[in-house]
Structure formats: structure tokens, C-alpha cells
Amino acid sequence: MPEQLVLQKLLATPMASAIVENGLDQVGGYVTEASAVVGLRTPTELLAAYGVDAAPDFADVVRFEQPRLATFTKPSDSERPWRDFPHGFLLGGSLAPVWRMSRTRFSYGAEYWRIRSDGEQKCLSHYAGAGRGWVGAKRWRPPSPVVGTLARWQGREFFADATAETVLLTALTENGPAGFDQVRPGAWSATVPLSECEVFERVYTAQVDGIPVRILRRAGDTAEVLLLSDDPADAQRVGAGLVEAGVFEAVVDARRLTNVQGVENQWVSSADK
């Protein structure tokens, strides 16, 4: 994929609401190249490229740089109850490539845009990192340590929002490290050179009733999980709900998790070149 690729994600209504109401900081699923859909100037044109025949007053999208350590795969060619893109392109004449992106945090500076039926486009918010979240959102939810990038710096681990030359480190603690600024109660951030950091992510997978899942968050006796399958029959077996086309999530009793495995993926500078 090209260096500094800017992606665009069409937001289903539940995801748009989750960003505005709860400060949702995770993204994955279908994404496309933002520059390839610039000609889709109205909600009707944009939705048609996704196989949706509708003419709403507006459609919401997020535009963001390709997140570090995110992985991309071709959409499924299996028969599903939603429109898929087995050839790897959106529908119609845009010839915009489309991928399934692994779950991660939004990259720093991601922008939430509203496209209106008259063609007007307006940026409503931007993502200011793990500690600040979406500017203007009604709530902020602490980031998950098992979704998105982390960094080791001076012997400690932090949430990390990496840009071209720097890393915005965030610590969730009552008393912040020396040199960190408090950005909200219990959250402290500082910007350091990328060259001083080791950037990585931790990914935990498991099975629930024999169905492969990725663990998104643990809280007490429960776990939020993402199904690593887009088969509705698997979702029904686990008791997962459809959050957007091809993406199922569930909150399960942690005792249902079996075969839990973890991997640490390291980012190296040559990966962006």
C-alpha cells in the first residue's frame, strides 16, 4: 500500500453515534482509499458505491492516515446477507479499492466529516490521541491496552500515537510522569521523538464455543470480543451482534474464553518506506 495512504471509512449509524456519544476510538472493517472516492460528492453517490439505494440528507465518514501495524485483507467472496466486494473494489465507476482492515485505534488527526445532499462537506471533529480522544465528543472512554499502538520509552510502557517523526505518549495514572502534561483527570501526555521509542501492539486471540475471536477489552469477569469470522451462523452460536457489515462483536463471560494466545507485533521504520 502507498506510503502515507489516507483512508476513508463510511460510518454506519451505530458507529457514528458511538463516536459522538461515547468517544469510540477503535476502527476496522471496510475501508477505502480517500483519494479514489473524492468524486462521490453526495450521500446518494457514496452509498450507491456500497450497494445501498438511498438518498439521505447526509452521510458521515472518517478520513485518517493508514494506522501503523494495521493489516489489510481482500473482502470475502463468500455468500453473505450484506453487499460485499469480492473483486476488491467499490461498485460503480469510481474503481476505488476496498479492504478489510484489522481492528486498531484511529490514527492521530483522524477527521470526522459530514457529506450533505447538496455536496457540502464539513469536518465535525478530529481525533486528538489516546488521552484526549475525539474533540467535542460527549464522553471519553479510556483506550484498551490490547487494541492499537503502545510504546516503550525510558523503560516504561505507554499508549502511543505515532506520527512521522514524533510519538504522543499517554499514561493513565493518578500522578503523571515527569514532563507529562495532564490532559484530563487521570490522563497525562507528552510528545517525544519517534527515534527514542519502540512502537508495538499486543493482540490477544481466543475461542468462544469453538469460534475464533480477538479480545478487545477485559473488565472483571467479562470480555469484549470481536469475531474473527463474518459467518452469521458463528455469530449466532456465540451470541454476537452485527455492528456493521461483516463485523460481529459480543460481551461474554471471560470463563468462556479458551485457547487464549497473545502476540506482540513490532513496528520498524522500514515498514513505512
Side-chain angles (χ1 to χ4, degrees), residues 33-52:
E33 186 175 355
S35 63
V37 292
V38 69
L40 304 177
R41 301 181 181 278
T42 68
T44 299
E45 294 172 347
L46 182 60
L47 292 174
Y50 286 84
V52 178

Side-chain angles (χ1 to χ4, degrees), residues 225-240:
V225 299
L226 167 72
L227 266 65
L228 299 179
S229 164
D230 65 355
D231 189 334
D234 290 341
Q236 184 176 17
R237 180 174 176 180
V238 172

Side-chain angles (χ1 to χ4, degrees), residues 13-247:
T13 300
M15 187 174 182
S17 297
I19 290 175
V20 174
E21 299 291 332
N22 300 315
L24 176 71
D25 65 355
Q26 296 183 12
V27 62
Y30 293 125
V31 296
T32 189
E33 186 175 355
S35 63
V37 292
V38 69
L40 304 177
R41 301 181 181 278
T42 68
T44 299
E45 294 172 347
L46 182 60
L47 292 174
Y50 286 84
V52 178
D53 182 12
D57 291 335
F58 63 86
D60 292 344
V61 301
V62 175
R63 295 168 182 154
F64 56 101
E65 286 192 359
Q66 175 184 344
R68 283 179 166 83
L69 293 172
T71 58
F72 297 81
T73 57
K74 180 182 175 182
S76 171
D77 57 3
S78 300
E79 188 69 26
R80 294 292 184 249
W82 52 80
R83 171 72 74 172
D84 215 328
F85 311 96
H87 301 295
F89 296 91
L90 294 182
L91 308 178
S94 71
L95 296 180
V98 60
W99 303 276
R100 293 285 298 270
M101 187 177 77
S102 63
R103 182 65 61 91
T104 187
R105 280 200 315 276
F106 281 105
S107 50
Y108 183 86
E111 295 178 339
Y112 184 127
W113 284 82
R114 176 156 293 173
I115 303 171
R116 295 194 175 276
S117 57
D118 62 1
E120 179 193 30
Q121 298 193 22
K122 184 177 182 180
C123 183
L124 302 181
S125 181
H126 68 275
Y127 183 69
R132 294 179 175 88
W134 286 97
V135 174
K138 295 181 180 180
R139 291 181 56 199
W140 169 80
R141 190 184 191 192
S144 168
V146 293
V147 177
T149 47
L150 306 169
R152 295 186 183 93
W153 180 72
Q154 295 188 354
R156 294 185 58 179
E157 291 187 3
F158 302 89
F159 293 97
D161 295 285
T163 59
E165 302 292 339
T166 63
V167 179
L168 179 64
L169 303 176
T170 296
L172 303 185
T173 180
E174 183 176 348
N175 298 308
F180 279 56
D181 296 322
Q182 188 171 20
V183 296
R184 65 173 65 250
W188 306 75
S189 292
T191 300
V192 302
L194 176 60
S195 59
E196 296 181 5
C197 296
E198 180 184 354
V199 177
F200 64 99
E201 68 171 356
R202 289 195 180 100
V203 175
Y204 286 90
T205 58
Q207 290 186 345
V208 177
D209 300 339
I211 305 301
V213 300
R214 177 176 172 182
I215 300 172
L216 301 179
R217 191 184 298 263
R218 291 284 295 266
D221 296 330
T222 63
E224 298 175 22
V225 299
L226 167 72
L227 266 65
L228 299 179
S229 164
D230 65 355
D231 189 334
D234 290 341
Q236 184 176 17
R237 180 174 176 180
V238 172
L242 184 71
V243 296
E244 62 174 296
V247 180

